[in-house]
Amino acid sequence: MKIHEFQGRELLASFGIPVPMGRMIESIEVAAAAFKEVTAGQTSPLAVVKAQVHAGGRGKAGFVKLVKTPADAEAAARFMLSNRMKSPQTPPEGLEVKRLLVAQAVDIADRAGGGKEEFYLAVTTDRKTRRNILIASREGGVEIEQVAHDRPEAILKTPIHPLMGLQPHQAREAAFGLGLTGKQASQAADIMLRLARLFVEKDCTLAEINPLVVTAPAGGKDGSVMAIDAKFSFDDNATFRHKDILAMHDPSEEDPAERRAQKFGLSYVALDGNIGCLVNGAGLAMATMDIIKLHGGEPANFLDVGGGATEEAVTEALGIILGDDAVKGVLVNIFGGIMRCDVIAQGIINAATNFKNKDGSTGFKVPLVVRLEGTNVDAGRKLLEAARAKVPTMRAATDLADAAKQVCAAVA
């Protein structure tokens, strides 16, 4: 589960991590008032208006704007709330913007040698070592994936002990590694410790601050360390014990098909191909997509119906798959373990026979290749062959390679 930036800032603040003042708005009419609120007391008012969507690339798309007057804030809000945001991280049609963050702009200190004092900071899980890890870099404010690819030496990684957590000496060492000294190093280390605690206490899968900045000196005082942007992801299996986090969930930011799948306990992710995949088991689903690619096809989705693979689950899964107009064929790959293959086969036959198409007609129209393996597999295959009259588009495969070849040939 993901949350918006304005919610992430609130979460950081609740753990004592300093963030600029901001206000979330949902209409053009309140943009001017929000600007005045967040810039109150400033001699030279300056704010930033940021689209609140679950996608990156907002700045380059024109959905992050610095504004100096209430009128500018209103104009920025009008543009963002009236246009869909398109970036490399959005669908081709873009995303509708429903919320904006109007926040106090921060004067970031200049870095010796050029650039600004911007840093990247995150806590996530390193699956290679099976431990949480603190990641930090002096290359803040940009896509960290690109930094890791081009200059891996610019990424600092600090493993976190599973019982003792991030230790103060580790945080200080990381702060020094970013080139910070004195009071600013202490402030950064404190933020790291708080972020690591937040990560564990809220069952995060990612807690990211990008950028973490040092503000410019003002009024004879040194600059301070502050979090400017926040990105969080949470473990869906743990949200039941975090009602405050669950309350931040925004279903409108999710793919409608993925929301539909969640209601029926299905794991679904849309892809760009034209061969729908219906599989029981995440590992088997990954192997199915791989073998489709091997034989020249393109999977249209990842869909795991789980170990039961009941008729209801299969029917719903087929509906979700064919909700994608790009799908021209479907590969069903089921291993019958707890559930017998003959029972699964009958469920697939019933689901395909009674399937309701978008035009109101009944029956499966696109090529349907079914590969069964496991308990009572021979009986299941006989049922599939006998049902060809009911579902003429259906074919039984002898093994996974045969299934992939058949479905790829059918959609070619």
Side-chain angles (χ1 to χ4, degrees), residues 180-196:
L180 297 170
T181 58
K183 183 179 70 173
Q184 293 166 354
S186 297
Q187 291 173 348
D190 182 64
I191 290 174
M192 294 174 189
L193 292 169
R194 293 176 185 273
L195 188 66

Side-chain angles (χ1 to χ4, degrees), residues 21-272:
M21 181 180 180
R23 177 181 167 188
M24 188 274 289
I25 64 171
E26 298 177 295
S27 67
I28 300 167
E29 292 74 20
V30 298
F35 174 87
K36 294 176 182 178
E37 180 182 335
V38 301
T39 60
Q42 291 183 339
T43 54
S44 300
L46 186 64
V48 60
V49 181
K50 309 174 80 172
Q52 299 297 283
V53 293
H54 290 173
R58 295 176 298 172
K60 293 180 181 178
F63 283 74
V64 175
K65 293 184 180 294
L66 280 171
V67 293
K68 297 180 179 181
T69 67
D72 289 344
E74 188 172 305
R78 180 174 290 105
F79 168 77
M80 294 181 194
L81 293 174
S82 303
N83 293 278
R84 299 180 73 87
M85 193 198 95
K86 298 180 181 180
S87 82
Q89 296 187 30
T90 69
E93 68 275 13
L95 296 175
E96 181 182 4
V97 180
K98 299 179 180 179
R99 298 175 180 83
L100 305 175
L101 172 64
V102 181
Q104 188 179 80
V106 174
D107 186 10
I108 303 173
D110 294 321
R111 180 174 290 170
K116 295 288 186 178
E117 288 282 46
E118 297 181 308
F119 308 92
Y120 176 89
L121 185 64
V123 179
T124 188
T125 301
D126 183 350
R127 299 194 180 278
K128 289 184 178 179
T129 62
R130 292 181 287 181
R131 297 172 69 173
N132 294 336
I133 188 170
L134 174 74
I135 301 174
S137 175
R138 285 177 60 82
E139 306 291 332
V142 297
E143 295 181 1
I144 196 66
E145 294 84 1
Q146 193 63 41
V147 176
H149 180 269
D150 297 340
R151 298 182 304 283
E153 70 281 358
I155 307 295
L156 304 177
K157 297 181 179 180
T158 304
I160 300 175
H161 194 280
L163 298 179
M164 296 188 295
L166 184 67
Q167 296 297 293
H169 74 273
Q170 292 179 303
R172 288 194 299 272
E173 184 177 350
F176 294 146
L178 294 177
L180 297 170
T181 58
K183 183 179 70 173
Q184 293 166 354
S186 297
Q187 291 173 348
D190 182 64
I191 290 174
M192 294 174 189
L193 292 169
R194 293 176 185 273
L195 188 66
R197 181 165 60 86
L198 188 164
F199 180 88
V200 173
E201 290 187 10
K202 295 299 183 181
D203 287 304
C204 301
T205 55
L206 173 68
E208 176 184 282
I209 297 173
N210 187 24
L212 181 76
V213 306
V214 177
T215 62
K221 296 182 178 180
D222 292 336
S224 58
V225 183
M226 178 178 289
I228 300 298
D229 197 351
K231 180 187 292 185
F232 286 92
S233 296
F234 302 91
D235 185 348
D236 291 331
N237 296 311
T239 52
F240 72 93
R241 58 188 180 196
H242 299 291
K243 293 182 179 179
D244 57 333
I245 300 299
L246 199 56
M248 297 179 181
H249 182 228
D250 183 0
S252 67
E253 288 290 325
E254 296 179 350
D255 184 289
E258 292 182 14
R259 293 204 306 270
R260 179 180 172 186
Q262 288 175 359
K263 291 181 180 179
F264 287 85
L266 308 174
S267 298
Y268 172 86
V269 178
L271 301 173
D272 297 327

